Amino acid sequence: MRTVRGWFRDTAGGLPTRFWYLWTGTLINRLGSFVLVFLAIYLTQERGFSASQAGLVIGLWGVGGALGTTVGGTLADRWGRRPTLLTAHLGAATMMLALGLARPLWAVALGALLLGAFAEAARPAFGAMMIDVVPEKDRLRAFSLNYWAINLGFACAAILAGFAAQAGYLLLFVVDAITTLVTAVIIFTRVGETRRVTGPVSRGSAAPAGALRTILSDRIFLGFVTLNLFAALLFLQHISMLPIAMGDSGLSPATYGSVIALNGVLIVVGQLFVPRLIRGRSRSHVLALATLVTGVGFGLTAFAETAWFYGLTVLIWTLGEMLNSPSNATLIAELSPAELRGRYQGVFSLSWQVAGAAAPILGGLVREHAGNTTLWLGCAVVGAVMAVAHLISGPARERRAAELRRVAQPTVPATAVDAPQAAEAAATAPAEPVRAS
């Protein structure tokens, strides 16, 4: 019992109260994330659109997401985290209902575009807020817990959405909109604004042109984002090419659903043990191992023919995903200057949006012209090359993170209204002034 209590204390103890409000908002939001799970089925079976028309709508969702992360990151730095999140969530809830009620193809396409923009605009602000409220020493645990909540909520949503769809697809959109609004209320009433300014340097660098120059000249950060783009291109093959490969093996869509569910189950069961496993280890080595394991998992798909073998490949690349996520998140936090935290989060999120659009296209082209085996073995090669790249670029990233910590300046609240939040942040911060980036 003492061991269990000690593990729980090491995993979840001592985190700021405002983190738990953000965590609760994440879980509630993901529990209601019905629409994206069933959107393709809704468009083709319920609305009678063709596969190409459904692909267009989902693609426009991705285009809107790319725009949303860019705008949301800028607003999070200039306008504030809380107003950006509130606007994004209100807009997403409104467009969720509009999409459910839309009938002509043009209206559905426009609704998906705007929904993607509003939904993804919240992501950089939420990420920046998470970094703002959690001290650096606790971020590995905090990001792991948040990632666990995302996967728990999404796994439950996939099951609940099936029951909700039986009562009518409109209910999916209504419930999704309600949970989005509940999340907005929690953040707006319980978390408050967390953005803080750091003096003349921050005000100067917050100008759009200056911020863009800073990001574009940050080769270490952009190199890391590029590596994440390739990791996302590799990982997202499980959505596009994996179901096709399983279909070629004579396996049903239901079997694919059961196999891919292993991903969420393993994360929910094991993710909370990851921080203790990797604590104190070189992040570059952890990321290198994560990408190598992920590549091996996808590479083994080339030899899979049965459901159990496909399940084994999913378990392997899920282990890579579990190692990658918290290390990725903490490193991005430390590479982001405090005054540009939202925009750095936006650029990082943009790599996922680009991969979401490009992964099925590239995977399909490789599969069509070079074959299924080449596609999956190519994934293994990409994973190995990325592992080497992490080992080579890791020392420079850690030096940059250490430099940002050394030059950090004490922060002050942006407005008098933020004084209570600043006081709480000071109370939970390390004894010596350390930049929260």
Side-chain angles (χ1 to χ4, degrees), residues 3-13 138 141 275-276 279:
T3 302
V4 174
R5 282 200 299 264
W7 168 81
F8 184 80
R9 183 173 58 253
D10 290 343
T11 303
D138 294 325
R141 296 187 298 133
R276 196 166 188 173
R279 183 184 302 151

Side-chain angles (χ1 to χ4, degrees), residues 118-414:
F118 279 112
E120 295 302 323
R123 192 181 299 275
F126 186 91
M129 185 174 276
M130 184 79 71
I131 299 170
D132 291 341
V133 303
V134 179
E136 181 184 346
K137 62 184 178 64
D138 294 325
R139 285 184 190 145
L140 180 63
R141 296 187 298 133
F143 282 117
S144 293
L145 286 166
N146 194 63
Y147 189 64
W148 182 81
I150 289 173
N151 283 275
L152 175 62
F154 190 78
C156 294
I159 299 173
L160 296 174
F163 293 106
Q166 295 178 1
Y169 278 95
L170 182 60
L171 183 60
L172 299 179
F173 294 89
V174 172
V175 174
D176 209 329
I178 290 174
T179 55
T180 301
L181 288 175
V182 171
T183 302
V185 170
I186 290 174
I187 293 175
F188 188 77
T189 60
R190 307 306 302 177
V191 179
E193 181 57 69
T194 63
R195 179 177 66 98
R196 296 180 290 274
V197 296
T198 59
V201 174
S202 298
R203 289 193 296 269
S205 60
L212 181 61
R213 283 195 299 270
T214 299
I215 295 175
L216 292 180
S217 63
D218 194 339
R219 290 179 296 177
I220 292 177
F221 171 74
L222 292 180
F224 185 64
V225 171
T226 301
L227 286 177
N228 185 74
L229 173 61
F230 280 99
L233 288 171
L234 181 67
F235 175 72
L236 292 176
Q237 296 303 320
H238 81 281
I239 297 176
S240 54
M241 294 299 108
L242 182 59
I244 296 176
M246 292 183 66
D248 289 346
S249 298
L251 301 174
S252 68
T255 303
Y256 166 74
S258 300
V259 167
I260 206 65
L262 294 173
N263 171 255
V265 170
L266 183 59
I267 291 174
V268 169
V269 172
Q271 187 67 47
L272 296 184
F273 296 94
V274 171
R276 196 166 188 173
L277 177 66
I278 65 177
R279 183 184 302 151
R281 302 185 185 276
S282 166
R283 273 185 300 210
S284 301
H285 292 173
V286 172
L287 288 170
L289 177 62
T291 54
L292 184 62
V293 171
T294 302
V296 169
F298 279 105
L300 287 174
T301 308
F303 309 103
E305 289 291 339
T306 60
W308 74 265
F309 202 136
Y310 279 109
L312 176 63
T313 67
V314 170
L315 290 177
I316 292 173
W317 57 252
T318 298
L319 291 175
E321 178 189 358
M322 293 167 63
L323 292 172
N324 180 79
S325 178
S327 300
N328 236 0
T330 55
L331 189 52
I332 283 295
E334 292 191 35
L335 292 177
S336 306
E339 65 273 10
L340 299 176
R341 190 168 285 156
R343 273 169 276 205
Y344 268 66
Q345 288 284 322
V347 171
F348 181 72
S349 298
L350 186 60
S351 65
W352 280 99
Q353 302 301 321
V354 172
I361 298 174
L362 294 176
L365 288 174
V366 173
R367 191 177 188 278
E368 180 179 350
H369 295 287
N372 188 65
T373 300
T374 302
L375 169 65
W376 299 115
L377 292 181
C379 289
V381 172
V382 170
V385 171
M386 287 178 56
V388 174
H390 274 300
L391 292 176
I392 294 174
S393 60
R397 293 195 300 255
E398 296 300 335
R399 286 195 298 269
R400 171 61 59 81
E403 177 186 348
L404 288 174
R405 287 194 295 268
R406 282 196 303 270
V407 303
Q409 299 175 358
T411 58
V412 296

